[in-house]
Amino acid sequence: MHGTDRGTLIKLAHAKQRLREIESAKVYEDSLYEFLKASWQHIDPAEFVGGWHLEAICEHLEAVTKGHIKRLVINISPRCSKSSAVSVAWPAWTWIQQQRGYLEGPQVQFLFASYAESLAVRDSIKTRRLIESPWYQKHWRHRFSLTSDQNTKIKFENNYKGYRFCTSVGGTVTGEGGSALILDDAHKADEVESDTVRQGVLNWYDEVLSTRLNSPQEGAIVSIGQRVHQDDISNLLIEKGFTLLCIPMEYEADRHCVTVLKTNPDGSQITWEDPRTEEGELMCEGRYNPEAIKEQKKKPFVWATQFQQRPAPKGGAIIKSEWWKVWEREKYPSFEY
């Protein structure tokens, strides 16, 4: 074989390899869920456990990125990879998008907050490590680069002025803002029964975080976490008209969730709805098996709020709803109250 021929074959092989990489990158750019799956090895050492619940979260975040949803609340059980999807993969995925809209491209500025700064910092570090991974750099190093003069655990920036900043709920955000504001577990579960602490979270959102959008009209606010109390941050945001994606661990037909992902110019809508139809059907058997569910149900309030996303157990807690009957006699029995 002549040297020229061999050199040509090598160039063709390299060209084919590059074409495969471009095609793979396009798949990941078009789908946050596919990006999450492919990047998982750089996010978490555990095996990836996917499912329609993660696809649903990713679809709603894509709708936020494209400007179709501006205010979003996601209620889902703990330990379902929600932080990996929202707080780690989403900003890294957003920065590889073409700059078609306000929240698409490396110029997007993210402000994340969790009840503990350690959790916020943990996910910030994971995002940065993902961006710096050989896999990410192979596909998208031409899109942007991280700057060296602003590259810390709580805030790192790229050469398009996009950044990821994190803080704790109640922490200072003076001088900081964002194109997108994200609350990831605003409440600490074992403190939520304190009216003072719980109200402090709501006040901080109303008086501090909600004022930090760079553009109130085009920017987005996303809150994700399990329900923990009837007067928690989710309740406040739902009352303010936020789109609600509610995914209880066990399906309840009377709370079938349907959301609008996009409203077209002609008024037609693209919607998402819970794919389950059978009462009691689990969200993700790969995450929680029947034995684990049985153990959680021994704690009725925890099960109702954190797993079923209802602020009180179905049918009541101490006083059951089925106990209430119509009193058909003319006179009441004797009672104190």
Side-chain angles (χ1 to χ4, degrees):
M1 179 180 292
H2 297 294
T4 303
D5 294 336
R6 185 173 184 276
T8 300
L9 289 174
I10 292 174
K11 288 181 180 179
L12 284 173
H14 287 167
K16 288 181 179 179
Q17 175 63 25
R18 181 54 185 156
L19 182 60
R20 286 193 293 268
E21 291 175 358
I22 292 173
E23 291 173 347
S24 296
K26 187 68 168 58
V27 170
Y28 305 143
E29 291 169 23
D30 289 344
S31 169
L32 175 56
Y33 183 70
E34 293 300 325
F35 176 87
L36 176 64
K37 285 198 300 183
S39 65
W40 188 260
Q41 60 181 314
H42 305 289
I43 296 175
D44 197 304
E47 182 181 355
F48 177 75
V49 179
W52 63 263
H53 66 290
L54 273 180
E55 291 186 70
I57 290 174
C58 290
E59 285 182 31
H60 284 75
L61 294 176
E62 288 175 12
V64 172
T65 297
K66 295 172 183 175
H68 304 315
I69 296 177
K70 299 293 180 65
R71 305 290 185 270
L72 177 65
V73 172
I74 302 174
N75 289 149
I76 191 169
S77 305
R79 310 306 302 163
C80 290
S81 303
K82 61 178 179 57
S83 293
S84 295
V86 177
S87 298
V88 180
W90 185 36
W93 178 80
T94 298
W95 283 357
I96 64 176
Q97 300 302 305
Q98 299 290 340
Q99 296 184 45
R100 303 184 187 93
Y102 181 73
L103 291 176
E104 295 176 285
Q107 82 288 347
V108 178
Q109 299 174 338
F110 288 94
L111 196 163
F112 284 85
S114 296
Y115 71 80
E117 185 174 340
S118 59
L119 296 179
V121 169
R122 175 202 67 187
D123 292 335
S124 177
I125 292 173
K126 286 185 176 182
T127 302
R128 191 175 67 181
R129 286 177 178 169
L130 169 58
I131 291 171
E132 293 175 337
S133 69
W135 173 80
Y136 191 98
Q137 288 297 308
K138 179 180 71 174
H139 289 302
W140 300 290
R141 61 178 177 270
H142 61 287
R143 293 284 171 86
F144 69 90
S145 59
L146 297 181
T147 60
S148 58
D149 57 345
Q150 181 57 67
N151 194 356
T152 67
K153 291 181 178 180
I154 66 170
K155 184 178 182 181
F156 55 87
E157 188 173 324
N158 65 45
N159 58 328
Y160 284 84
K161 305 299 182 185
Y163 59 72
R164 189 196 188 287
F165 173 80
C166 69
T167 187
S168 60
V169 172
T172 179
V173 290
T174 303
E176 298 291 349
S179 315
L181 312 179
I182 299 90
L183 277 168
D184 185 352
D185 283 334
H187 297 282
K188 188 176 182 182
D190 59 5
E191 295 179 347
V192 76
E193 289 303 321
S194 167
D195 292 342
T196 301
V197 174
R198 188 179 64 256
Q199 189 59 46
V201 173
L202 308 188
N203 291 345
W204 183 78
Y205 170 81
D206 265 337
E207 299 169 8
V208 180
L209 186 66
S210 66
T211 69
R212 310 315 299 175
L213 275 176
N214 295 338
S215 172
Q217 290 74 36
E218 296 186 274
I221 302 177
V222 176
S223 175
I224 186 166
Q226 63 267 22
R227 293 299 302 267
V228 289
H229 193 276
Q230 61 185 7
D231 293 321
D232 58 13
I233 189 68
S234 291
N235 179 69
L236 174 69
L237 300 181
I238 293 168
E239 288 183 345
K240 290 179 180 291
F242 278 48
T243 294
L244 172 63
L245 171 61
C246 180
I247 307 179
M249 177 60 69
E250 284 187 343
Y251 179 65
E252 297 177 358
D254 62 339
R255 299 171 63 224
H256 184 73
C257 183
V258 180
T259 62
V260 177
L261 292 173
K262 180 183 179 183
T263 300
N264 297 312
D266 63 0
S268 62
Q269 294 179 329
I270 298 174
T271 61
W272 175 92
E273 66 176 305
D274 195 314
R276 295 173 291 182
T277 57
E278 297 294 326
E279 192 76 17
E281 186 177 346
L282 287 180
M283 176 193 71
C284 180
E285 293 188 7
R287 182 68 65 175
Y288 286 93
N289 59 39
E291 281 302 312
I293 295 295
K294 185 178 180 180
E295 191 65 28
Q296 293 297 337
K297 285 186 175 181
K298 294 178 182 179
K299 302 167 282 187
F301 281 102
V302 171
W303 174 255
T305 52
Q306 297 185 36
F307 287 84
Q308 289 303 100
Q309 313 312 319
R310 60 166 68 245
K314 187 176 183 180
I318 298 174
I319 300 176
K320 303 295 182 182
S321 60
E322 65 264 23
W323 295 352
W324 292 91
K325 306 294 181 183
V326 176
W327 184 261
E328 297 177 338
R329 301 178 187 179
E330 292 184 3
K331 294 183 179 181
Y332 294 119
S334 60
F335 51 81
E336 294 181 14
Y337 297 99

